[in-house]
């Protein structure tokens, strides 16, 4: 299991706080990344899926995009033709993009994604493969030796708009 993916799993269940309050952990992530993200990110109501992926990579000693734009990951790292556990998946969605980590997939190709800001939490959710725009892997690490993993459907619906 890739180190960055292990870090991501430790945050499962973390939720943003609606309204003027913010989750201290999410706000710490923005301070840790620093730069313009630190000054721009003032409330956890701001989309944070890319912040989550960036902090998991940083905690593993890897450089992410350093931005809050999910689709910036389309050009980051190296492309994969098939996903492997921990690969970064980039999606299009109404109003922008979404980014998370590959967990597995149903036999029909629907993707299981571990990500931040999925229903305002760090969760695993199903996302249609038709929305996928990129599969990426960190440049500074060996390419994965495994490929897709078939996982059982848990009966939950396929997400149409994370956030």
């Amino acid at each position: 299991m890739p180190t960055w993916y292990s870090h991501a799993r430790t945050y499962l269940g973390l939720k943003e706080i609606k309204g003027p309050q913010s989750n201290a952990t999410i706000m710490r992530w923005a301070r840790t990344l620093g730069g313009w993200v630190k000054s721009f990110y003032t409330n956890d109501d701001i989309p944070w899926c890319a912040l989550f992926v960036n902090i998991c990579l940083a905690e593993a000693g890897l450089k992410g995009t350093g931005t809050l734009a999910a689709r910036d990951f389309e050009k980051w790292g190296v492309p994969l033709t098939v996903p492997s556990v921990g690969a970064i998946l980039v999606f299009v969605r109404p109003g922008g993009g979404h980014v998370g980590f590959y967990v597995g997939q149903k036999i029909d190709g629907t993707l299981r994604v571990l990500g931040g800001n999925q229903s305002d939490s760090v969760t695993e959710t199903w996302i249609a493969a038709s929305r996928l725009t990129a599969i990426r892997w960190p440049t500074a690490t060996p390419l994965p030796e495994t490929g897709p993993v078939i996982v059982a459907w848990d009966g939950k619906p396929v997400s149409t708009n994370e956030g």
Side-chain angles (χ1 to χ4, degrees), residues 36-126:
W36 74 269
V37 170
K38 177 181 175 182
S39 61
F40 177 81
Y41 203 83
T42 57
N43 185 290
D44 68 6
D45 290 333
I46 296 169
W48 51 276
C49 64
L51 176 63
F52 174 70
V53 170
N54 274 300
I55 201 66
C56 293
L57 291 166
E59 289 176 350
L62 299 168
K63 184 177 174 155
T65 63
T67 73
L68 296 174
R71 296 194 65 188
D72 284 354
F73 277 96
E74 290 174 334
K75 303 283 188 234
W76 172 91
V78 296
L80 296 178
T81 56
V82 295
S84 183
V85 171
I88 289 92
L89 304 179
V90 185
F91 300 92
V92 65
R93 71 175 183 87
H98 183 66
V99 65
F101 299 105
Y102 178 82
V103 175
Q105 62 194 62
K106 293 187 337 187
I107 196 77
D108 71 1
T110 303
L111 299 160
R112 186 73 170 167
V113 180
L114 168 59
N117 206 28
Q118 296 180 164
S119 300
D120 300 327
S121 305
V122 176
T123 65
E124 287 186 6
T125 195
W126 296 102

Side-chain angles (χ1 to χ4, degrees), residues 132-148:
L132 184 68
T133 62
I135 306 168
R136 308 300 286 190
W137 193 261
T139 304
T141 63
L143 290 174
E145 295 180 7
T146 60

